[in-house]
């Protein structure tokens, strides 16, 4: 049975101790997920921007299954700016909230065409002026195509930041600011990937796999999930659980199987 060795229940943790523990968690996650990466398929800044907007309230897998047809029809901001809303809505319908998302995509494409010469800007203050683009989406784009460090606070990152004792805030902007004070700026982008990977694979929202967690000894929330190693192992997802990942076109160093396109039927063969 894994037990928390660093944070003892009932004993207040100093700021210095928390920072040291947080940075050790980051180092441990870097060893567990050396292949951590954005789990949205994209080939250029515009595709990542659009895919990230579509990823709200759905899975990256669902987005990856939707964007091939989307980008085949609307490969540039100019193309998407001129889209017939109903036709765009029909393509992105599987991602949910498709009317609002279509409005955002057309709006941001018009802004890119008219205000930025058809190019995705590489500054936070410019990106957040685009319809449907907040700090989370902006930081995803900046960190992964422009090399500008940023902390991406999605539901996974926020949940784990609180479980790890890095913050008590619920507001994503406050979480971002608080966590940014703990880690060197150079670590922000990869920290985001590692924490999100861990949240998706092991530290789930409803049933964390505590008994299979490689950083359990550093986590003050150990025990909120399944602690039995065998039962916890059955909760692991994606490559940790021997299943396909979310990307149809994963990086070369990804250790698991690519995701399957929408509509693919898998036949289990025993033996």
């Amino acid at each position: 049975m894994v037990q928390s060795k660093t944070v003892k229940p009932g004993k207040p943790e100093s700021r210095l101790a928390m920072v040291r523990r947080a940075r050790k968690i980051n180092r441990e996650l870097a060893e567990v997920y050396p292949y951590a990466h954005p789990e949205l398929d994209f080939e250029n800044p515009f595709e990542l921007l659009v895919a990230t907007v579509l990823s709200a309230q759905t899975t990256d897998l669902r987005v990856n299954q939707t964007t091939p047809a989307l980008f085949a029809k609307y490969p540039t901001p100019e193309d998407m700016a001129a889209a017939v809303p109903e036709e765009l809505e029909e393509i992105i319908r599987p991602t949910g909230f498709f009317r609002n998302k279509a409005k955002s995509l057309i709006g941001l494409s018009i802004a890119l065409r008219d205000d930025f010469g058809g190019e995705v800007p590489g500054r936070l203050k410019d990106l957040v002026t685009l319809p449907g683009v907040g700090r989370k989406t902006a930081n995803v784009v900046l960190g992964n195509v422009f090399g500008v460090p940023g902390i991406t606070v999605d539901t996974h990152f926020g949940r784990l930041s609180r479980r790890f004792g890095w913050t008590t805030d619920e507001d994503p902007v406050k979480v971002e600011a608080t966590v940014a004070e703990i880690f060197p700026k150079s670590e922000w982008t990869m920290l985001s990937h590692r924490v999100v990977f861990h949240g998706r694979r092991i530290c789930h929202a409803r049933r964390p796999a505590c008994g299979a967690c490689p950083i359990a000894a550093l986590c003050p929330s150990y025990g909120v999930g399944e602690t039995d190693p065998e039962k916890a192992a059955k909760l692991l997802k994606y490559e940790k659980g021997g299943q396909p990942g979310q990307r149809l076109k994963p990086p070369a160093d990804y250790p698991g199987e690519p995701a399957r396109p929408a509509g693919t039927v898998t036949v289990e063969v025993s033996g």
Side-chain angles (χ1 to χ4, degrees):
M1 179 176 179
V2 182
Q3 294 183 348
S4 176
K5 302 174 184 177
T6 303
V7 183
K8 298 179 180 179
K11 182 179 180 180
E13 185 180 31
S14 69
R15 166 75 181 181
L16 178 59
M18 183 275 288
V19 170
R20 287 175 172 170
R21 180 173 57 80
R23 294 184 178 186
K24 187 171 183 180
I25 286 176
N26 183 39
R27 292 193 298 272
E28 294 285 339
L29 291 180
E31 293 185 8
V32 176
Y33 308 107
Y35 49 88
H37 62 275
E39 293 193 87
L40 291 167
D41 287 326
F42 69 97
E43 294 184 0
N44 56 58
F46 177 62
E47 290 189 359
L48 180 58
L49 177 62
V50 169
T52 306
V53 170
L54 289 177
S55 69
Q57 304 298 313
T58 191
T59 65
D60 286 359
L61 172 58
R62 179 62 65 187
V63 174
N64 293 337
Q65 293 171 331
T66 303
T67 50
L70 178 67
F71 294 137
K73 186 163 186 176
Y74 310 109
T76 69
E78 291 80 4
D79 294 319
M80 196 167 287
V84 176
E86 292 76 13
E87 294 179 0
L88 177 58
E89 289 172 5
E90 191 57 34
I91 294 175
I92 66 172
R93 180 186 290 267
T95 69
F97 302 95
F98 56 91
R99 291 190 179 89
N100 286 337
K101 289 180 180 179
K103 183 178 180 180
S104 293
L105 294 184
I106 291 174
L108 70 83
S109 296
I110 291 173
L112 292 177
R113 180 194 67 191
D114 295 349
D115 302 332
F116 298 99
E119 301 291 333
V120 176
R123 298 190 302 179
L124 179 68
K125 68 177 185 178
D126 293 329
L127 283 167
V128 295
T129 67
L130 302 174
V133 178
R135 291 185 65 90
K136 185 197 83 168
T137 297
N139 280 330
V140 169
V141 173
L142 290 173
N144 294 290
V145 295
F146 292 106
V148 178
I151 294 174
T152 304
V153 183
D154 67 355
T155 56
H156 301 287
F157 192 96
R159 178 178 74 252
L160 269 63
S161 293
R162 289 183 288 275
R163 283 182 177 168
F164 291 160
W166 298 350
T167 182
T168 57
D169 290 314
E170 296 282 343
D171 178 74
V173 176
K174 292 181 179 179
V175 172
E176 179 186 344
T178 301
V179 176
E181 294 179 351
I182 299 173
F183 298 93
K185 191 172 183 178
S186 60
E187 286 291 306
W188 289 355
T189 298
M190 288 308 302
L191 169 73
S192 299
H193 291 323
R194 294 163 189 154
V195 171
V196 170
F197 256 58
H198 194 61
R200 287 174 172 168
R201 286 150 177 77
I202 296 177
C203 194
H204 312 135
R206 295 183 179 178
R207 293 188 67 194
C210 293
C213 180
I215 58 169
L218 297 168
C219 183
S221 297
Y222 172 79
V224 301
E226 179 58 64
T227 57
D228 180 84
E230 292 186 5
K231 293 180 179 179
K234 295 179 181 179
L235 300 175
L236 301 181
K237 296 182 179 180
Y238 302 113
E239 78 282 356
K240 292 298 180 184
Q243 301 153 357
Q246 297 205 72
R247 292 191 69 166
L248 302 181
K249 300 177 181 179
D253 63 348
Y254 177 68
E257 298 178 29
R260 302 181 180 93
T264 300
V265 177
T266 303
V267 179
E268 295 288 343
V269 180
S270 59

